[in-house]
Amino acid sequence: MSTTSFNVADIFGENVFNDTVMKERLPKNIYKELRRVIDEGAELRLEVADVVANAMKDWAIEKGATHYTHWFQPLTGVTAEKHDSFISAPKANGKILMEFSGKELIKGEPDASSFPSGGLRATFEARGYTAWDCTSPAFVRQDAAGATLCIPTAFCSYTGEALDKKTPLLRSMEAINTQALRIIKLFGNTTSKRVIPSVGPEQEYFLVDKAKYLQRKDLIFTGRTLFGAMPPKGQELDDHYFGSIRERIAAFMKDVNVELWKLGVSAKTQHNEVAPAQHELAPIYAQANIAVDNNQLTMEMLKKVAGRHGMVCLLHEKPFAGVNGSGKHNNWSITTDDGINLLEPGKTPHENVQFLLVLTAIMAAVDKHADLLREAAGNPGNDHRLGANEAPPAIISVFLGEQLGDVVAQLISTGEATSSKQGGRLNTGVSTLPNLVKDATDRNRTSPFAFTGNKFEFRMVGSSDSVASPNIVLNTIVAEQFCEIADELEKAEDFDMAVHDLIKKLATDHQRIIFNGNGYADEWVAEAERRGLPNLKSMVDAIPALTTEKAIQVFEKFGVFTSAELKSRAEIQYEAYAKALNIEAKAMIDIASKQIIPAVIKFTTSLSASINGVRAAVADADVSVQTQMLKESSQLLADTQSSLVKLKDLMTKTDSFNTEKDLAIFFKDEVKPAMDALRAPVDRLEMIVDKDMWPMPSYGDLIFEV
Ligand code: ADP
Ligand code: MG
């Protein structure tokens, strides 16, 4: 593909069973009925599913497909699939047919016993079902396994509990749809039929050379470096951010785009990120569940295509200490089926009452459930970003910007907003440059939840995480607020007066969540504490947010999670943390014992040989350099050994905990500091030991030589 030219419009969506294909290949009445199912949530009849399945199969076979799979998103965080071929049982004449029934399309039954369920099912109750999500189009994926028809599905247990991230996401989309429709109806909108959350996730990632990657056991086992001294140069020159893209990377990005376009993923923006070897890809936003599916595909594709280019794509949130980590900015808005964005302020937001109500509702929702939002961004890798030394704090606040901040301030102080600040014109002082119209508001890159024009951008999500969880939370908590508002306004005698009062009340009651300053400054941490905003530094601290009374109440009320599902998800989160740290600690022990300590011993041996050899040749020769290095490295070697012993000792205790929670806390409070203590002398040794003797590529080799 890299040498031939192509037209993007021709290849876009060529492997997707999209609306155009459906229209072409389905009988008119079937197409119409399927559209009703997709657009209005009508029930899907088996007869219809049969016809759709057959058309889908024929189409997929023309694309070379031999197999189909129900593609789902269990709670492991990655996607899962089990492939079945289309072949039927051989006939009497020994021939086979290619078959695919409606039943096979809409329902699958993977043996689900090995997926995390957080105690929802015992392993002997293994039945799990996948159900077709017809709102996210099926696609054919081509790879070394040939071509496979992939059917996006939701994954539930025998008793109907969600075992995946998609089911609650779809439930939350229904919740916000119902409640948002009530709100817009109050404002006289009778034409919109649905309200849909839209999501545009910006994906950050690192690329490293595959040959070097293979020499780093830490990257192989854990996705991040467990050791590594800072190179002489880091990101301080800011010369990588938006820098021109090197040939090797450009070729990779081109292939990724082509692969994604074929799958109907609208990869749009690409650039170098802050850290060396760090990049970003953003698609055009889509309806939330499709955006989540597309983001999973994007992560898969980044990895796959990197392999073809002799590189490895690191999606870990913090592959390298000391340089920027990777996140995923979750851009979110709510739009009606006829294209009205409820987060569009217009030119004069102070006059846009519906917008102000939606805005203050979101402020209230985020303030009430800041802990849930923070939890939704928690994963073991993200613990190295949120609340860690070099990254934003884990405090949720809302950035409104100058214009909206001013409108809300007017509302709070006088109950009335009478003006909106305007952006004006940008004066560059150069007559040949065009006169630009400025936005009314500058950006704030440090805010975790920022209003950016006509959407909110939730910036805490980890780069390797599914964006399902944050959107489940956002949709549900905003649905709750909309519901409260609609309950009140629907019975108001004087609607205008009631809206006016409500907006003022919401803005006033929840003003503590607004913060327009520098979110990275220490003062903010203190200020947030004074305001009573939660600062949950570790994902382990955030997990209890899932099962508070407040959380259970909101999720149950809108049918998004049952209390049992929430408890199981909390279990899974504790387990995920403990497992990740268990692997990291074991990898550290392995690498320190088998690679680093032996290398340092070789180095010290060569130093002492040098001292003895030089002395043998010239009795009074100056060997102070070697002696000094020998002393220093021997001391650090001793420190390494004693830290290693301590870590090993701690790891013998991991069997003695009764709950996943206690184990996770043990890893966070005891094991993690012991890992840091082991890393410290090793990183200093890396700066002393002969590079040829160091058993793995350095940070410099990894991030500057891709
Ligand atoms: P940034 O300048 O913030 O890095 P990008 O262009 O990289 O912006 O990404 C912005 C993302 O937000 C894109 O995925 C874009 O499609 C998405 N986006 C734009 N408008 C909306 C909207 N109304 N709702 C949701 N997402 C949106
Ligand atoms: Mg971006």
Side-chain angles (χ1 to χ4, degrees):
M1 193 37 95
S2 43
T3 50
T4 47
S5 65
F6 59 89
N7 184 338
V8 179
D10 290 341
I11 61 167
F12 190 84
E14 74 174 25
N15 289 338
V16 183
F17 195 75
N18 53 25
D19 189 65
T20 313
V21 183
M22 290 196 282
K23 216 184 227 153
E24 255 168 40
R25 294 191 172 239
L26 295 174
K28 234 192 194 122
N29 58 330
I30 299 285
Y31 169 77
K32 265 196 171 155
E33 198 166 331
L34 180 61
R35 275 270 41 122
R36 258 209 309 281
V37 178
I38 296 173
D39 297 334
E40 294 160 33
E43 181 135 2
L44 179 67
R45 292 185 304 127
L46 196 57
E47 301 88 273
V48 175
D50 274 328
V51 181
V52 178
N54 198 47
M56 220 184 239
K57 176 207 69 185
D58 290 344
W59 169 81
I61 288 174
E62 282 167 34
K63 304 248 160 235
T66 51
H67 288 68
Y68 71 91
T69 179
H70 276 200
W71 186 72
F72 58 106
Q73 296 162 26
L75 296 169
T76 52
V78 291
T79 57
E81 47 196 77
K82 177 182 137 204
H83 297 190
D84 277 299
S85 77
F86 290 119
I87 64 169
S88 64
K91 306 276 169 223
N93 63 2
K95 299 267 185 212
I96 52 115
L97 287 174
M98 298 296 261
E99 286 178 346
F100 186 46
S101 69
K103 199 167 156 265
E104 287 169 311
L105 167 64
I106 62 178
K107 182 178 143 214
E109 205 182 312
D111 175 357
S113 52
S114 295
F115 291 111
S117 77
L120 271 183
R121 288 160 319 142
T123 34
F124 58 88
E125 291 165 344
R127 246 183 234 280
Y129 294 104
T130 49
W132 181 31
D133 169 17
C134 65
T135 62
S136 178
F139 54 92
V140 166
R141 199 185 42 204
Q142 274 144 336
D143 56 25
T148 309
L149 170 64
C150 299
I151 299 153
T153 56
F155 180 43
C156 295
S157 76
Y158 187 69
T159 42
E161 278 118 351
L163 296 175
D164 68 348
K165 306 206 174 193
K166 170 163 267 186
T167 310
L169 177 67
L170 293 170
R171 293 173 181 164
S172 74
M173 289 169 70
E174 287 189 10
I176 198 167
N177 172 43
T178 310
Q179 302 308 327
L181 281 175
R182 291 175 69 193
I183 299 286
I184 59 174
K185 206 166 147 216
L186 283 166
F187 284 90
N189 179 335
T190 50
T191 41
S192 302
K193 290 203 184 69
R194 279 201 311 155
V195 177
I196 307 144
S198 301
V199 172
E202 302 165 52
Q203 176 72 49
E204 292 180 339
Y205 60 93
F206 278 84
L207 287 171
V208 295
D209 184 80
K210 178 141 194 194
K212 293 190 184 113
Y213 167 90
L214 289 174
Q215 295 169 54
R216 296 279 321 205
K217 295 236 182 295
D218 45 4
L219 285 180
I220 293 174
F221 290 129
T222 72
R224 75 178 182 105
T225 52
L226 300 170
F227 300 102
M230 273 304 283
K233 178 184 172 192
Q235 63 192 40
E236 63 273 40
L237 296 181
D238 289 330
D239 51 353
H240 191 258
Y241 190 52
F242 284 13
S244 76
I245 298 171
R246 288 189 305 284
E247 287 278 297
R248 185 180 190 190
I249 307 299
F252 158 85
M253 287 179 170
K254 182 182 170 192
D255 279 0
V256 169
N257 287 336
V258 170
E259 294 289 356
L260 289 176
W261 289 334
K262 284 199 222 164
L263 291 171
V265 180
S266 54
K268 165 97 174 155
T269 309
Q270 58 197 24
H271 59 80
N272 287 348
E273 258 302 328
V274 172
Q278 191 186 28
H279 312 278
E280 179 185 299
L281 184 157
I284 296 174
Y285 64 97
Q287 139 177 355
N289 62 322
I290 296 179
V292 169
D293 286 358
N294 285 351
N295 181 249
Q296 294 288 347
L297 278 177
T298 302
M299 291 194 284
E300 273 177 42
M301 205 49 86
L302 286 169
K303 288 192 168 271
K304 205 174 271 183
V305 175
R308 283 188 222 148
H309 287 256
M311 297 187 285
V312 174
C313 172
L314 304 176
L315 292 174
H316 193 283
E317 284 72 18
K318 196 77 178 177
F320 305 100
V323 295
N324 261 42
S326 298
K328 186 140 50 190
H329 294 178
N330 187 82
N331 294 273
W332 177 89
S333 65
I334 23 183
T335 314
T336 64
D337 58 334
D338 47 356
I340 306 164
N341 179 356
L342 305 190
L343 284 171
E344 176 57 59
K347 285 221 161 56
T348 50
H350 69 283
E351 297 170 327
N352 188 343
V353 180
Q354 180 183 305
F355 170 76
L356 290 178
L357 183 64
V358 169
L359 181 77
T360 46
I362 294 172
M363 271 172 59
V366 172
D367 185 28
K368 279 187 199 163
H369 298 291
D371 57 341
L372 274 178
L373 262 182
R374 191 271 172 252
E375 199 289 327
N379 78 6
N382 227 4
D383 261 29
H384 299 277
R385 296 175 66 229
L386 307 178
N389 311 334
E390 335 157 355
I395 305 162
I396 301 270
S397 61
V398 175
F399 171 80
L400 292 179
E402 219 176 305
Q403 189 190 50
L404 292 184
D406 173 59
V407 170
V408 170
Q410 293 179 51
L411 287 171
I412 294 170
S413 74
T414 66
E416 200 85 56
T418 53
S419 63
S420 297
K421 289 188 177 180
Q422 298 298 323
R425 292 204 160 263
L426 181 75
N427 186 2
T428 57
V430 181
S431 61
T432 50
L433 287 177
N435 252 335
L436 301 180
V437 180
K438 267 201 310 193
D439 290 303
T441 289
D442 197 4
R443 293 187 175 227
N444 176 325
R445 297 189 63 90
T446 65
S447 173
F449 198 81
F451 187 77
T452 44
N454 61 1
K455 60 186 161 78
F456 272 102
E457 186 170 345
F458 181 42
R459 302 210 179 99
M460 270 189 183
V461 188
S463 49
S464 69
D465 233 347
S466 158
V467 278
S469 304
N471 290 299
I472 293 168
V473 171
L474 272 174
N475 297 341
T476 311
I477 64 178
V478 174
E480 175 188 50
Q481 200 56 52
F482 282 172
C483 177
E484 279 176 25
I485 290 171
D487 285 348
E488 189 171 332
L489 293 182
E490 277 165 0
K491 54 175 197 263
E493 273 165 27
D494 181 341
F495 176 73
D496 290 344
M497 184 71 99
V499 172
H500 173 275
D501 290 349
L502 190 53
I503 291 174
K504 174 169 196 252
K505 181 169 172 18
L506 289 170
T508 309
D509 289 354
H510 300 284
Q511 55 183 306
R512 66 170 186 172
I513 199 72
I514 298 174
F515 179 62
N516 289 328
N518 178 6
Y520 290 9
D522 291 337
E523 297 82 64
W524 168 231
V525 177
E527 165 67 16
E529 195 177 335
R530 272 195 296 278
R531 295 190 191 183
L533 299 176
N535 182 2
L536 303 165
K537 293 199 173 110
S538 161
M539 83 174 261
V540 178
D541 306 329
I543 297 170
L546 281 175
T547 49
T548 59
E549 229 166 89
K550 157 176 90 79
I552 294 173
Q553 205 180 349
V554 62
F555 284 124
E556 287 208 321
K557 176 167 182 188
F558 295 97
V560 175
F561 286 121
T562 62
S563 158
E565 284 172 337
L566 286 168
K567 284 179 185 140
S568 86
R569 267 156 221 252
E571 276 302 290
I572 290 170
Q573 287 287 72
Y574 285 126
E575 202 179 301
Y577 184 86
K579 279 183 178 164
L581 267 89
N582 186 47
I583 294 171
E584 288 186 353
K586 282 180 8 196
M588 268 193 129
I589 291 170
D590 194 75
I591 295 166
S593 314
K594 294 194 209 147
Q595 292 188 280
I596 288 163
I597 291 176
V600 180
I601 290 175
K602 268 186 213 144
F603 178 66
T604 48
T605 308
S606 79
L607 277 175
S608 55
S610 159
I611 294 168
N612 293 335
V614 173
R615 279 221 180 101
V618 184
D620 60 350
D622 182 358
V623 288
S624 60
V625 173
Q626 292 95 315
T627 311
Q628 182 54 35
M629 285 173 79
L630 182 56
K631 261 196 193 154
E632 204 180 331
S633 45
S634 300
Q635 183 54 54
L636 288 168
L637 179 61
D639 293 348
T640 303
Q641 174 65 13
S642 68
S643 303
L644 176 64
V645 169
K646 273 192 202 136
L647 180 59
K648 276 179 160 170
D649 190 44
L650 276 179
M651 291 298 284
T652 61
K653 298 187 185 145
T654 55
D655 287 340
S656 56
F657 294 91
N658 290 326
T659 67
E660 293 293 343
K661 180 176 181 175
D662 289 343
L663 181 61
I665 292 172
F666 172 73
F667 270 110
K668 172 172 81 75
D669 291 343
E670 311 274 336
V671 177
K672 199 157 170 289
M675 288 166 61
D676 293 341
L678 173 55
R679 178 174 180 149
V682 173
D683 288 359
R684 287 181 59 197
L685 278 164
E686 189 183 342
M687 301 300 286
I688 302 172
V689 173
D690 184 343
K691 184 161 173 58
D692 290 339
M693 290 188 183
W694 196 251
M696 62 192 84
S698 67
Y699 269 27
D701 302 334
L702 286 165
I703 60 178
F704 284 104
E705 296 176 25
V706 195

